[in-house]
Amino acid sequence: MARAWQSEAADMVEEQIVGRDVRDARILEAFVSVPRHLFVPPEYAGTAYVDRPLPIGERQTISQPYMVAKMTELLLTEPGMKVLEIGTGSGYQSAVLASLGLRVWSVERLESLAMEAQKRLSDLNFDVKVIYGDGRGGFPEEAPYDRIIVTAASPRVEAAWDSQLALNGRLVAPLNVMTGNQRLLVRENLAQGFRNTWYDYCRFVPLLQGTE
Ligand code: SAH
């Protein structure tokens, strides 16, 4: 690479993340500490820190840095919390969460991506367990979770996610709202019931059924 990756990551944080509206110092630190270029295929390593999603094989993508930051901010985490991710992909979002001191379980429906992500995360010493499976059912073995983050676009909030979310827990997910449109949903599990709040429009690959 032409420059040290830390310098590219610092510019990414300034221009794409602080430059928009994510200001939480802990989140910004996480983004300079995770080597994003190791989460993309080698041929994209030189463009890993640019302002867009990138292909990671199997017709899937690693999300744009800003979207990872925005969802992490909306998740409102505290160190030590248990987090479930649906849609491991490259493992980058999981790594950002783990570097915030969270304990992460992440479900991926494509076996090759799940295996690659687990190896990458373990090699880099991130505290993340990757599960190969259909994340529409969550991962009941470790429930309840303080936080659930879905990183593929879903037509609905699955009943399994609601039932695996701790009291006062939060879920962040891109939901299909109208033909071709997706929007970030924050869903809180409050004593009086679930409360939904809608945020940015976004574009994610679809949440699909079953495993491959
Ligand atoms: N969070 C990832 C990007 C996610 S791309 C990252 O940081 O790189 C969306 C991922 O969700 C893809 O890898 C896709 O295979 C996966 N996916 C889609 N439907 C799924 C399902 N039902 N269960 C688990 N994973 C799913």
Side-chain angles (χ1 to χ4, degrees), residues 15-130:
E15 292 160 17
Q16 304 171 34
I17 300 178
V18 180
R20 295 190 178 120
D21 57 357
V22 178
R23 301 284 153 83
D24 182 327
R26 289 172 49 241
I27 296 180
L28 304 179
E29 269 173 46
F31 275 86
V32 288
S33 74
V34 178
R36 183 170 163 94
H37 61 287
L38 299 181
F39 290 80
V40 299
E43 61 270 32
Y44 288 105
T47 48
Y49 296 90
V50 300
D51 192 13
R52 55 167 190 263
L54 292 170
I56 54 170
E58 307 271 353
R59 289 175 287 111
Q60 303 305 319
T61 54
I62 179 174
S63 304
Q64 176 193 23
Y66 171 71
M67 189 49 62
V68 179
K70 186 71 202 172
M71 291 181 84
T72 304
E73 179 182 58
L74 290 174
L75 213 51
L76 277 185
T77 64
E78 301 290 342
M81 282 182 166
K82 286 180 84 166
V83 183
L84 175 67
E85 181 190 31
I86 311 301
T88 317
S90 68
Y92 182 70
Q93 173 77 70
S94 293
V96 168
L97 296 172
S99 70
L100 285 167
L102 307 170
R103 292 176 295 150
V104 184
W105 286 262
S106 183
V107 187
E108 171 56 55
R109 69 176 290 276
L110 294 173
E111 190 171 23
S112 60
L113 290 184
M115 287 174 56
E116 281 170 36
Q118 181 68 82
K119 179 174 186 330
R120 176 181 292 130
L121 290 161
S122 302
D123 287 352
L124 294 169
N125 280 316
F126 288 110
D127 181 15
V128 180
K129 284 102 190 155
V130 178

Side-chain angles (χ1 to χ4, degrees), residues 1 52 58 65 97 115 121 130 159 171 176 179 186 190 198:
M1 293 183 69
R52 55 167 190 263
E58 307 271 353
L97 296 172
M115 287 174 56
L121 290 161
V130 178
L171 168 143
N176 301 334
T179 321
V186 172
L190 304 174
W198 295 93

